[in-house]
């Protein structure tokens, strides 16, 4: 059984890393933490002329966002990533810590340099560690069978493993909240004093997380604390208030010191969106308080969309759990078979979701913290059924349904993972820019200026990718790229008036864009990137890849765009596109496959 425990411990890590390798790029929601980690690793922490150094080198003064974000997460990631960079620095860049062999449709096994970001890898490992600690607590509290089902249910989902390595503020909060909730699970073998200490440690971690990373964790903390008080496991003043006070003081000390340094409250950019009564009187910045006031009190988050009150219950949670069997069978069985455990897990989780539904702007990542508890409820229901599978036919059929549902959920999660890998055309565009620099043989004598438009920056372009490509170059290509990249500077101008001025484009040599019609001047299209546009039922004769969507044939020809693109050469992408040839062989030309379109173009100025 020790071997089984080790396997379960590794399973979380392996699945998270697989999601990272399949979809290595990041989007705009993750850009702050990733860019901040890059800047800490690249430029270090200045001790003199701090404001000037940060303004000139760090990305957040140029793109501050609507509210400040905490630098605590990036500092942690940079600190843990530094040893990997020191070890692999002479071999790979700061993002890459490995090279994997992927099976190619043409040419058998072929080595590809994968974008295993060291910072994303560290974050994924930290998330896996928190899930392993939670699994260990599950095994101690409810037995090995429940722990096995919990692990299998958790890794067969899509959202949590996929986003476990993505540097969202919610991911940092998920790591700390999962560890905190692991201390709140009952541990029968411990003494009452030790159990009380675990509960207090859970409250301490939840308070710290709410202060530093995500303010909504305070709502989860309220329901957890209320349950502990009602069940008389802790006292209000001696335990709860003391643990919360310590967690709050430590969290405030950490965030005020780190974030006031990086945001430099004396700068106007920081004053615009921070709390005036704190910044002006003390010179300190508390990002999460600013975000709470901006989103919850001022209700500015509604500008990003409004959802119906039942969105979390009717849409978000079913998607997060992914397995319909869990919702329809496992959770009801858990309530029937293990009512005490179900109440202890469900009341805080569902109470948090119900109250948080009051805010009109809703996203699944705001309630992801309750997924481990809800998954555990499903595992308890599955274990209750599994232990009775030999009693009668009904339990045997339900046990078969458990196994089949997890297999189907895993297949569905894998399909969602592969489809999501096409959602980052900006990142692939920057990689293809590096390949173009190596092919074109830029001599590196004069400065080459590259413009990345907003769409590209929002769908994968990062400072990491600007400095190095994902695929390693060798031989002549490596020499050409090394000469070119030393004289390349990147421009990310967003102002529409500036972009409409012809003189702006006179200094631009390369463009990576999602809209070629907006680029002024004479350009040559060097390469392009296709992206995911959804699912489509293809009829006989219809092409899978479409180039130049929405443009007429003459206009596309004038711009140098193609009307039809070749199928992918990677086998698993080809499977999603046309079933690896099954469309023509067994389905008479019909196929339900990926709808792909050309989404990003790499342009070079014609001189």
């Amino acid at each position: 059984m020790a071997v089984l425990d080790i396997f379960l411990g590794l399973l979380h890590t392996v699945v998270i890393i697989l999601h990272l390798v399949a979809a290595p790029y990041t989007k705009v929601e993750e850009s702050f933490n990733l860019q901040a980690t890059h800047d800490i690793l690249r430029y270090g922490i200045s001790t003199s002329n701090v404001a000037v150094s940060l303004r000139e080198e760090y990305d957040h003064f140029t793109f501050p966002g609507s509210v400040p974000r905490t630098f605590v997460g990036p500092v942690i990631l940079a600190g843990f990533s530094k040893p990997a960079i020191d070890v692999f620095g002479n071999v790979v860049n700061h993002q890459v810590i490995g090279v994997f062999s992927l099976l190619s449709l043409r040419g058998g096994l072929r080595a590809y340099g994968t974008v295993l970001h060291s910072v994303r890898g560290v974050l994924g490992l930290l998330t896996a560690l928190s899930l392993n600690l939670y699994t260990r607590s599950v095994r101690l509290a409810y037995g090995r069978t429940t722990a096995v089902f919990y692990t299998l249910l958790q890794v067969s989902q899509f959202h949590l493993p996929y986003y476990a390595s993505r540097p969202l503020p919610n991911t940092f909060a998920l790591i700390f909240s999962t560890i905190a909730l692991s201390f709140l699970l009952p541990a029968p073998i411990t003494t009452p004093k030790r159990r009380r200490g675990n509960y207090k440690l859970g409250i301490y971690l939840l308070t710290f997380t709410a202060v530093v990373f995500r303010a909504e964790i305070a709502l989860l903390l309220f329901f957890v604390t209320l349950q502990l008080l009602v069940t008389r496991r802790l006292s209000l003043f001696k335990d709860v208030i003391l643990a919360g006070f310590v967690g709050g003081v430590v969290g405030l000390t950490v965030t005020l010191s780190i974030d006031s340094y990086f945001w430099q409250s004396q700068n106007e950019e920081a004053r615009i969106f921070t709390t005036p009564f704190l910044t002006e009187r003390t010179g300190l910045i508390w990002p999460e308080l600013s975000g709470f006031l901006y989103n919850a009190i001022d209700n500015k988050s509604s500008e990003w969309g409004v959802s119906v009150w039942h969105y979390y219950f009717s849409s978000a949670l079913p998607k997060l759990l992914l397995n319909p069997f869990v919702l329809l069978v496992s959770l009801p069985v858990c309530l029937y078979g293990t009512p005490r455990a179900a109440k202890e897990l469900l009341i805080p989780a569902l109470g948090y979701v119900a109250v948080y539904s009051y805010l009109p702007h809703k996203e699944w990542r705001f309630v992801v913290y309750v997924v481990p508890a809800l998954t555990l409820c499903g595992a308890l229901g599955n274990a209750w059924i599994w232990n009775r599978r030999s009693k009668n036919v009904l339990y045997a059929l339900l046990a078969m349904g458990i196994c089949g549902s997890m297999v189907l959920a895993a297949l569905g999660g894998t399909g969602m993972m592969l489809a999501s890998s096409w959602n980052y055309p900006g990142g692939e565009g920057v990689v293809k820019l590096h390949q173009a620099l190596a092919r074109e043989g830029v001599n590196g004598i004069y400065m080459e200026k590259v413009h990345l438009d907003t769409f590209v920056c929002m769908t994968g372009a990062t400072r990491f990718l600007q400095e190095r490509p994902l695929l390693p170059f060798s031989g002549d290509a490596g020499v050409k790229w090394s000469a070119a990249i030393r004289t390349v500077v990147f421009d990310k101008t967003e102002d529409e008036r500036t972009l409409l001025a012809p003189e702006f484009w006179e200094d631009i040599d390369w463009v990576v864009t999602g809209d070629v019609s907006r680029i002024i001047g004479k350009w040559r299209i060097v390469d392009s990137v296709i992206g995911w546009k959804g699912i489509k039922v293809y009829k006989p004769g219809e092409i899978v890849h479409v180039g130049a969507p929405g443009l007429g044939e003459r206009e596309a020809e004038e711009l140098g765009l193609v009307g039809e693109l070749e199928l992918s050469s990677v086998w698993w992408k080809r499977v999603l596109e046309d079933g690896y040839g099954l469309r023509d062989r067994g389905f008479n030309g019909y196929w339900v496959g990926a709808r792909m379109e050309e989404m990003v173009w790499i342009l070079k100025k014609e001189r």
Side-chain angles (χ1 to χ4, degrees):
M1 300 306 289
V3 175
L4 177 61
D5 294 336
I6 294 174
F7 173 75
L8 294 178
L10 292 175
L11 199 55
H12 287 297
T13 303
V14 171
V15 172
I16 289 172
I17 296 301
L18 285 176
H19 282 77
L20 166 57
V21 172
Y25 306 105
T26 56
K27 281 195 175 181
V28 62
E29 297 89 351
E30 307 148 52
S31 63
F32 170 79
N33 285 313
L34 192 63
Q35 306 285 52
T37 305
H38 166 275
D39 294 343
I40 294 172
L41 290 170
R42 178 71 171 80
Y43 303 111
I45 298 177
S46 301
T47 56
S48 61
N49 295 324
V50 175
V52 176
S53 298
L54 291 173
R55 184 184 293 275
E56 291 180 352
E57 298 170 343
Y58 275 60
D59 183 76
H60 66 289
F61 278 108
T62 305
F63 302 98
S66 54
V67 293
R69 300 290 182 89
T70 180
F71 269 82
V72 176
V75 168
I76 294 174
L77 285 185
F80 279 103
S81 302
K82 191 64 167 63
I85 293 171
D86 291 339
V87 172
F88 297 100
N90 294 328
V91 182
V92 293
N93 63 38
H94 290 196
Q95 297 186 85
V96 185
I97 60 174
V99 176
F100 293 81
S101 293
L102 301 178
L103 184 61
S104 173
L105 177 62
R106 299 170 185 170
L109 282 174
R110 196 168 63 189
Y112 286 82
T114 12
V115 123
L116 195 51
H117 299 293
S118 60
V119 291
R120 285 194 57 197
V122 166
L123 185 58
L125 292 176
L126 292 175
T127 307
L129 175 62
S130 70
L131 292 173
N132 282 325
L133 290 175
Y134 193 81
T135 304
R136 178 180 178 276
S137 297
V138 169
R139 179 170 55 81
L140 294 175
Y142 303 112
R144 182 170 274 107
T145 302
T146 303
V148 170
F149 278 117
Y150 168 76
T151 303
L152 295 178
L153 288 175
Q154 193 72 84
V155 299
S156 62
Q157 296 170 3
F158 165 71
H159 285 84
L160 196 150
Y162 185 80
Y163 283 88
S165 66
R166 298 191 168 275
L168 290 162
N170 311 83
T171 306
F172 294 105
L174 174 66
I175 293 172
F176 282 91
S177 65
T178 302
I179 296 174
L181 294 176
S182 71
F183 288 110
L184 299 175
L185 294 177
I189 62 174
T190 59
T191 62
K193 183 179 180 181
R194 177 71 177 274
R195 202 174 303 136
R196 183 184 293 268
N198 286 346
Y199 295 151
K200 292 168 64 176
L201 184 56
I203 292 175
Y204 165 85
L205 288 174
L206 287 176
T207 306
F208 176 87
T209 307
V211 170
V212 176
F213 294 108
R214 294 297 302 184
E216 65 261 22
I217 294 294
L219 189 58
L220 180 61
L221 171 65
F222 168 79
F223 282 100
V224 167
T225 302
L226 183 63
Q227 185 184 52
L228 292 174
L229 291 175
V230 170
T231 56
R232 297 183 178 180
R233 299 179 189 180
L234 293 179
S235 63
L236 178 60
F237 294 99
K238 185 179 178 181
D239 298 321
V240 173
I241 292 181
L242 178 61
F245 176 77
V246 173
V249 169
V250 173
L252 272 175
T253 302
V254 169
T255 188
L256 290 179
S257 58
I258 291 178
D259 293 312
S260 297
Y261 168 85
F262 281 104
W263 285 103
Q264 290 295 301
S265 59
Q266 65 267 30
N267 289 312
E268 290 301 321
E269 290 90 341
R271 290 182 181 274
I272 292 173
F273 45 57
T274 51
T275 50
F277 70 90
L278 180 64
T279 304
E280 293 178 0
R281 296 182 183 182
T282 66
L284 300 175
I285 291 180
W286 183 1
E288 201 48 39
L289 176 61
S290 302
F292 172 75
L293 295 175
Y294 182 88
N295 292 315
I297 304 302
D298 296 336
N299 198 26
K300 295 290 187 180
S301 61
S302 298
E303 298 176 3
W304 280 267
V306 174
S307 302
V308 294
W309 67 269
H310 55 78
Y311 167 78
Y312 288 133
F313 293 100
S314 61
S315 180
L317 290 180
K319 289 179 181 178
L320 288 170
L321 297 177
L322 190 62
N323 192 330
F325 192 92
V326 171
L327 292 172
L328 299 177
V329 179
S330 303
L331 289 180
V333 169
C334 178
L335 286 168
Y336 172 77
T338 56
R340 181 178 178 181
K343 291 177 183 178
E344 291 178 351
L345 294 168
L346 290 179
I347 289 177
L350 298 183
Y352 164 77
V353 175
V355 174
Y356 203 67
S357 297
Y358 173 77
L359 287 179
H361 177 65
K362 299 177 177 65
E363 296 184 38
W364 65 263
R365 57 192 177 96
F366 298 154
V367 296
V368 71
Y369 323 112
V370 304
V371 169
L374 297 180
T375 304
L376 175 54
C377 285
L380 285 167
N382 286 353
W384 195 86
I385 294 171
W386 187 260
N387 292 333
R388 290 161 177 77
R389 66 188 183 280
S390 60
K391 286 190 173 183
N392 56 49
V393 177
L394 177 60
Y395 286 123
L397 291 175
L398 289 176
M400 293 174 61
I402 290 172
C403 298
S405 68
M406 289 191 296
V407 172
L408 292 176
L411 291 175
T414 302
M416 296 170 70
M417 174 189 71
L418 298 179
S420 298
S421 68
W422 273 308
N423 283 332
Y424 305 89
E428 292 199 29
V430 177
V431 172
K432 288 197 172 186
L433 168 71
H434 286 289
Q435 295 172 332
L437 291 173
R439 287 197 310 270
E440 298 286 328
V442 179
N443 56 28
I445 296 176
Y446 71 95
M447 194 66 66
E448 297 275 330
K449 194 171 184 180
V450 178
H451 172 70
L452 307 179
D453 72 3
T454 302
F455 176 76
V456 170
C457 293
M458 293 178 66
T459 57
T462 68
R463 285 193 165 191
F464 280 114
L465 293 183
Q466 290 171 204
E467 294 179 353
R468 283 189 179 272
L470 306 187
L471 303 180
F473 295 123
S474 59
D476 186 54
V479 174
K480 290 181 179 179
W481 175 81
S482 298
I485 197 62
R486 286 196 295 267
T487 56
V488 168
V489 294
F490 288 85
D491 169 81
K492 300 178 182 179
T493 300
E494 296 178 322
D495 182 67
E496 289 295 329
R497 292 185 179 180
T498 303
L499 295 175
L500 290 174
E503 55 270 18
F504 168 79
W505 300 99
E506 293 178 0
D507 295 331
I508 304 297
D509 301 285
W510 295 81
V511 177
V512 185
T513 180
D515 187 356
V516 294
S517 64
R518 294 169 59 88
I519 310 303
I520 300 174
K522 188 176 181 181
W523 302 84
R524 173 168 58 90
I525 294 183
V526 176
D527 209 337
S528 64
V529 177
I530 59 171
W532 174 270
K533 295 295 289 186
I535 299 292
K536 182 178 179 180
V537 178
Y538 289 96
K539 298 178 181 179
E542 280 191 285
I543 60 175
V544 174
H545 289 176
V546 177
L551 297 178
E553 184 176 345
R554 174 178 292 183
E555 186 177 6
E557 184 178 351
E558 290 177 352
L559 291 172
L561 307 180
V562 296
E564 181 176 354
L565 304 174
E566 292 184 0
L567 292 169
S568 297
S569 59
V570 181
W571 69 269
W572 58 265
K573 290 187 176 182
R574 179 74 184 273
V575 168
L576 292 180
E577 292 170 354
D578 74 339
Y580 209 121
L582 287 177
R583 174 184 177 186
D584 296 323
R585 296 172 189 170
F587 295 92
N588 297 322
Y590 288 91
W591 185 253
V592 179
R595 178 173 163 239
M596 309 299 295
E597 288 184 358
E598 210 169 13
M599 300 183 70
V600 167
W601 293 266
I602 295 88
L603 314 178
K604 184 180 181 182
K605 178 171 286 184
E606 288 284 6
R607 297 189 181 277

